[in-house]
Every structure is written in C-alpha cells, then in structure tokens.
Amino acid sequence: MSPHTTPIVDTENDLELTERVIAPDGTRVANPQLDRYIQDINFQMLRDLHRDMVVVRRIDAEGVALQRQGQLGLWAPCNGQEAAQIGTARALAARDYVFPSYRETGVMYARGAAPGDYARMWRGEEGAAYDPDVLRIAPLQIIIGAQTLHAVGYGLGILHDEADEVAVAYFGDGATSQGDVNEAMVFASSYRTPVVFVCQNNHWAISEPVGLQSQYPLAGRAPGFGIPSMRVDGNDVLASLAAMRWALDHARSGKGPAYLEMVTYRMGPHTTADDPKRYRDDAELAKWRERDPISRLEAYLQSAGELPQEHLDAVQAEADATAREMRAACIGMVTRPAIAVFDGVYAEPHSGLERERDEYAAYLSTYEEA
Amino acid sequence: MVQMTMGKALNAGLRQAMRDDDKVVLMGEDIGALGGVFRITDGLQDEFGAKRVIDTPLAESGIVGTAVGLAFRGYRPVVEIQFDGFIYPAFDQIVSQVAKLHYRTQGRVKMPITIRVPWAGGIGAAEHHSESNEAYFVHTAGLRVIAVSDPQDAYRCLQQAIASDDPVIFFEPKRLYHHKGEVDLEAPLADAPPMGLARVVRQGSDATIITYGAMVRTALDAAAAAEDEGISLEVIDLRSLSPVDYETVSASVRRTGRVVVAHEASREAGVAAEVIASITEFCFEYLEAAPVRVTGHDIPYPPAKLEKFHLPDLDRLLDAVDRVMDRPNSLSGAADAKGAER
C-alpha cells in the first residue's frame, strides 16, 4: 500500500480520498487495493456484519437510555461508528489483543462481551468492565491515547515471544495530538512491533473539530514515522474489514506496524454529559446521516436481493433481546461491600493500606453493633 | 562479602534478577552499549542481548507506557529514567496507568514494573538533574516507593523490587553511586529483610533521626558528632517510603521521645510531614518535644553552587537535634545561645 502524501486543505469535509468498496448509496465499487482482501466474503457473511452493526447500535441506544434513567453515571455513544468498529474487529483473530479507548462498544461486542460488560464500568461498579484475559481486550482507557503505548509494549512482548499475534490500539482523532500516540508510533516503528493503529476519525474531539487536531489527513502522518497507512471510509463495513485484514497481514508477517484512519462520524454526543448542539449544526449531521453505515449495507444487500425480511426480523429480535439482557444485567448488579474499596490496590501486603483498612473496618463495625 | 560501590552493587542486582527470571527485561535511554549514563547497566546487554536490555527512543512516557504493555503480557520490565527531573513526562503513565491497573482490574492485570530513578542532589549537576520528587509517588496509591542508602541494601532491594508483583519506584541516590561498602553476593535473597521494613542503622537513646537515601550518611555523621557532646542519637533508615514501617519507627520514638525527620526534598507536604503526622497519631503520649523537620527549602532545586545551602547538612541536623533536646538552637535566639550555660 502506498501512503497518501497529498495535503488536504479541508480535513473535516474531504471524504473522497478514502478507500471504499460500497458507496454511500449502496453501490458496489471496485477497489483494486481492497478487493483482494474480501474475495471470500459472501452475502451470508455480509448479513452477519449487518446483524453485528444493528445489535451494537441497539446496545448503544440502551446505554444512553440507562444513563438517562440514572442507571449509568455516563455513556460514550458509538452511534455512527458501527462499521469502523465491527469491520476492523471482525478481522481480528481470537488470539490478537486489543487496547481500546472508552468508545469501543462495537469492538467489545465483536470480542464476545457479556451483557453486563457494557454497563459495569459506566455504572461505577468496577474500574474495568470485563476480564481482559477472557476478551483479550485491555480495560477501556479514559486517558486519551495512553493505550497506544500499551499496545506497542504488548507488541514488543509478542516479538520477544515470537508469537503469531498482533496488538491493536483503537483511538480517536483527538488522540493523535497526544504525545503518547506519537511516541507510540516512534517506538512501534523503531522496533517493528506487530501493532495496528486504528484511528477512528469521528470528526469531533468533544467540541473541537478534527481540523484543530490536524490540517493534514491523519493517515498521512504515519508514513513520516515509517508506518504504512490507509485512509478508509469508516462507514463502509466491508472496506473496514478489508483494510484491517491488510493491516493485520502486514503486522503479522513481520513487517512492523500499520495504521488505519477510519473516516467516520460520531452521530451523537461525545458522552451523555455533552451537548453537541452547542458546537455543530444540523446540516452537518444530515449530511452524515446519508452516509449511515447500516443503511448503506442494507441498500447494497437490498439491490442484490439479499436482504430478506426474515433476516431483518431476526436481527431486530436479537438486538432487542441483547438490550433486555444488558438492562437486566445492569440493574441486577450488586455493589460490593464498603470494605471492598481497598481490594486490589496492591498485589502484595502493604502495611499502610492494611492499617487504613483495619481502621475503616472498625469504624464500619460501630454501625453493625448499633 | 566483597567491597563494591553502590553502582556496582546495583549492576550485580540487575544481573542476578535477569539470571533468575527470563521475563525480566531492562528498558531505557543509553542503557545498552553505554551501560547507562551512570554505568549501572554496564555489560548487561553483552550478557543478555539487545532483546532483554533494550535501548529506547528518547521518550520517557514511551518507555513507561511500553513497559505497561509488556507487563500486560507477563514481562517484568525494569525501566531506567535517566535522571530524576526527567520523570515528569512519564508521570501520567506512572500515576494513571502503572499505579492503577491492578486496582481497576481487581487484580487481573499485574504491573510488576520497577522504575529506577537516579535521584536527588549533591553532585553539582545541571538543572533538572538533582530533584527529590518522591512525595509525588508516595502520594499515589498503587505504587511502592523505595530509597536505598548503601551497596548491600541496594543489591538486595533492587532484586526484591523486581520480584515484587507491585510496581516499585526505586530511588537510587546518585551521590552514593561511588560509595563503597560490603556486599554479600552469596546470601540467599529470602534471608534478607523485606524491602518494606525500616532499619535502625545506629542505636541511641536521646533522640531519633529518621531519614532515607543519601541523608542516612549525613545523619550518621550527625550522630557521631552529637556523641562528642554526650547526646545519644538513634538513626533510622526508612528504606521504604510507601509503605513506611511505623512499627520500627514507633518503637524507636517511644524509647527516645524526641524526633527529627530529615530529607533533601522540599518541606511542604513532603515525606517528613507525613511521617511526623503519623508519629503524632501513634506515639503522642511518648513525645517529650515537638518533632522537627530538616528538609530542602521550598524552592526549585538551586544552581549547583548554591545546592549546599539547600541540602540539609550536618550542622542543620544538629541544630534540629538541639531543638528537640531543648538545647540552645537557632530558634531559641543567637543571644540566648551564646549566653546559655551548658
């Protein structure tokens, strides 16, 4: 893959230099770079990707609803980014290891998250939403971009172990301004670690447009670090899958890191605490609604006569059932006892913390006796 | 027993830890062919190869952040920060990631990372090369903080830090790197005192000086000088700043009733403040006098020609001893001091 080197004046609006295989209107377009990575994809597999995206959107809507109803402290919606997340995550092997940001609901889903896993952290029950070893995903990362270095370090371990695995870092366009992301690319390039950087350019870092982060396509930065990159239409799930297969192949074959800029759009707020009406207009939203990843794939399948109503009904039923399970798991969570605030700070005994724990236990016991 | 410098002892400790566990990897700037700017990793790349003694790009957050990823994969990274003042770019990775991942994951992810920091002043170095920033890390739950003060302890504590499943900030007083002492390389590590324990380095009965790092030697000098005046000082080397071994500290304070806590770091919200607050909680009824701090001033670390006025020296320590002993001292007034009959 040859990296793009042409500066783009308007990084916020120029979407035509992205790689895609399904156009926004659902038309299949030939792409010599990507097509060879998706030759095995049949309509059933496309319907599976469609199901994934519909279920993830439903999980996301349920997350927002649970937050509005006071069941979650916060939720970071991924509405609009389903294709970028599902397409890339479905390309992973089970043995690969993911270092996500906090918005990777679709990636969690693709890695087999349980219903409660989506809610546990946002509800405030535990710092990590799930067992990282089970899903092979590090805990959701809140500090912007910090996880990219963790992926590179993990990749360094893969190299040392001579294992057939890839570490993957997910982050947003805002994160590309962080020193850690740039340091991660330096380290990954220097050591040729098997790492794939997946930048979801969703165009907004809270209220700051991507143009404030960069006046150059984000994918164009990676080659400066010696990392090949691709700018992909992140609302095209098939292109996302194909590009990720390219990137994973590259990393897995010992050539070092690869970088994807998934050009997508965050349709909702940054989090449930955010009000995007203050900083972006309806016209922009409407323009992106025409590029919706789910309706795009539906249009393609429809035109091919491969979107039977039974599939749509089954998908809707599965989405609703998943949301119900998520809600039940969330509401059914039992908060740990007060003394558990001390659990797991250290792996080994720490006399100072033990003293504090004893004092607090004694304090708590005064209530029990009363 | 062999005579060696603290620098050589640390080198021997690293070598032994790497031989004992092939998951131990070293990372840092210039630690390979050069052997580190202080030569602490001298010869280790020759013995263990570039995959285990990793020269890194010049980026402190990158070094610590990649160590986090290695720990995720079961490695035990030992990171060298070239100088104390260079640790700040890595601060976020240390306090937000290294310190918290075990807690966030309810113990599912361990962070057995040792962060070695050539630390503190007294060597006439350039700006940002002499800082005592231990309080930042002591204040951060999830980290252990160790400060060594002699070759034997350096040799053992470093191995203990590396073997620990918790992250350890390991402070090496650079003005002691060339200080020699006896080191027993053969004694089993299991027989050594745990790194969380303080040690009484000199026994005494009139007052206790509590300190750590290079100040231990200053305190011992003060104790020797005080002895000439008939004052018996106990000196405690804390060794571990998180946790602090209050059993050893309290036992001493209960016997002497008088306490001086000394460190090079600035005073405000420093380790001495914490130690004295705890002593006051645990041993208030045993105290014969208000505990006294002797610390660096609350100033940025001064230029090299002025550092001797910043670092607590023997005279400032003895003045503090005079204060807790109710003897004439700087606070009791110069005229009083001159006129006082001893």
Side-chain angles (χ1 to χ4, degrees), chain A residues 3 29 52 57 65 79 87 94 104 132 159 191 199-200 213 272 278 318 342 349 354 360 368:
Chain A
V29 290
D52 289 347
R57 185 165 289 185
N79 187 329
E104 263 64 82
L159 265 189
Y191 299 126
C199 171
Q200 289 177 84
Q213 316 296 335
T272 44
R278 284 172 171 259
E318 182 176 340
F342 294 99
E354 283 166 7
Y360 190 56
E368 288 162 13

Side-chain angles (χ1 to χ4, degrees), chain A residues 160-161 180 183 191 341 344 347, chain B residues 51 55 61-62 75 102-103 166:
Chain A
H160 286 200
D161 296 341
D180 274 2
E183 291 184 28
Y191 299 126
V341 295
Chain B
K51 280 178 74 173
D55 269 321
S61 188
Y75 283 86
H102 189 268
Y103 186 68
D166 286 317

